[in-house]
Amino acid sequence: MISRGLEFHNVAEIQDSSWGCRLYRFPRAVCDSMGEGERRSGRYVSQTTAGCEIRFVLEDGGRALLSLSSIDEDGYVQICCGDFRYCQGNVYSFPVRSGRATQIMLSKPPGLAQLDPRYLRGAFSPGVWRVMSDINFTMTFGGIETYGYAVRPPRPDEVPPRTLLCYGTSLTYGACASAHGVSYAQLLGRRLGCNILNKAMGGSCMNEKAVADYFAGGAAGGVGDEAAGGATGGAAGGVADEAAGGAASGVAGGEPRFDAVLLENGLNMDGMSEAYEKNTAYLLDRLAAACPEKPVYCVTSYPNAAYPKGCRAKGGRPQSGGVSGGAMRSDAQKAGAGESADAGASAGAGAGTSAGAGAGAGTSASTSMNTPDCGNDAIMRKLAARHKNCALIEGAEILDNFADLACDLVHLSDYGHIAVAERLSERIGWLAPR
């Protein structure tokens, strides 16, 4: 979305409030309708600003004073100059306080202008400031003072050309990552050289009809973010939040624009198989009808301690204990199944350009694996098989070591986020040049 002379990435709607400009990952009307049965925590989670970014380019030599706040919890933002992590002394994640303005002074490190282009292969131009919200709080934007230096949104050639929409549970949301930039969704974007629209719903991924309609409404588009047209124009002077393009009471950015979807959506509807099948069928049907050429990567549940509820092994025996080693395969088992990372990469290499190639990424040895077969995973396999643009990825092939989890044995550790991003990137195959 382009508003107030800036780009608001992963933002569907902006509303003015007494706390500043509220940034919504989903349209407010969609947020207010979320929930399935008594599980309605999504009405709050959808309004957190996980993965939302404020992007802009400053005139050479310029500096900016950014004003942020939070309406609920204290939180953090990470800041990048393009692909480069920004820091001030020993501060790498910048705190944003609830109920009061937080000012952050930004000035471009002089060394970035002296980089040898032979060794610069990032997806973003180093001149693009990216202020990224972490999870579990609702960031608001108070304004930006640029001291007379020109500021504008990034141009299309300064940001990645492709966009991956990620929808799923707390694992995709970024839970337990030490910073949101280390979450597997963001690392996957870095690995693939694409934008990430993180629409994940920690603990509350219910696959609602309103969410499916929202995603499908933007499926006809392609490259970019919620706002059609990309980054053009911009404010010419000091206070960008007064620039043309922002509405007095708020602005809606329309539907999300994306080139592919990553769907990891089973665990939060544990024990709700009938509703899960109905909702997921509608979601996949809507995406297939709206964008049959765009791949949808359907990931079954990553193995974790939540599996045993309603979960059985392939042979029909219940998994024993709270955590089952049957969910994880040894190197010998993988070799016996004839699997390799190269095979996965070649299967998905063309997924960004054709539906047929994208579906090829779903071929796997899941039928011979000794992995849990949760009810919702079986449903996902069945539903994904109906659509040529759906590529099935077995979660147990992506996460195959419980040591990649945090000590709750459910969420990913930092190492787990890294490992999952690497393995998913091999399956999707949009590898950025190195």
Side-chain angles (χ1 to χ4, degrees), residues 24 60 62 67 121 136 214 238 250 266 310 342 347 355 362 389 409:
Y24 290 89
D60 286 347
S67 180
R121 294 187 293 276
N136 294 334
Y214 169 58
D342 290 340
N389 68 323
L409 298 179

Side-chain angles (χ1 to χ4, degrees), residues 46-79:
S46 61
Q47 295 191 32
T48 62
T49 46
C52 293
E53 295 184 33
I54 303 170
R55 297 177 176 179
F56 57 93
V57 177
L58 278 172
E59 179 185 347
D60 286 347
R63 61 174 54 207
L65 182 66
L66 189 67
S67 180
L68 305 172
S69 186
S70 168
I71 69 168
D72 44 22
E73 307 290 336
D74 291 347
Y76 290 89
V77 296
Q78 290 85 54
I79 301 174

Side-chain angles (χ1 to χ4, degrees), residues 4-54:
R4 296 158 173 84
L6 313 172
E7 179 183 355
F8 293 87
H9 174 76
N10 197 35
V11 174
E13 188 172 330
I14 299 175
Q15 289 187 2
D16 289 346
S17 73
S18 58
W19 301 286
C21 297
R22 286 195 60 176
L23 312 179
Y24 290 89
R25 287 191 299 145
F26 292 85
R28 179 61 187 268
V30 175
C31 296
D32 290 347
S33 71
M34 286 191 174
E36 182 69 36
E38 296 180 356
R39 303 186 190 184
R40 300 193 175 189
S41 60
R43 298 190 179 194
Y44 165 72
V45 176
S46 61
Q47 295 191 32
T48 62
T49 46
C52 293
E53 295 184 33
I54 303 170

Side-chain angles (χ1 to χ4, degrees), residues 99-145:
R100 68 176 191 263
T102 299
Q103 278 82 33
I104 305 173
M105 181 66 77
L106 303 176
S107 58
K108 187 176 179 180
L112 294 183
Q114 303 167 12
L115 291 172
D116 187 333
R118 293 177 300 172
Y119 304 104
L120 181 62
R121 294 187 293 276
F124 290 86
S125 165
V128 177
W129 285 98
R130 302 168 57 207
V131 181
M132 179 191 298
S133 170
D134 215 315
I135 66 173
N136 294 334
F137 82 112
T138 306
M139 181 180 74
T140 61
F141 171 66
I144 181 170
E145 172 60 61

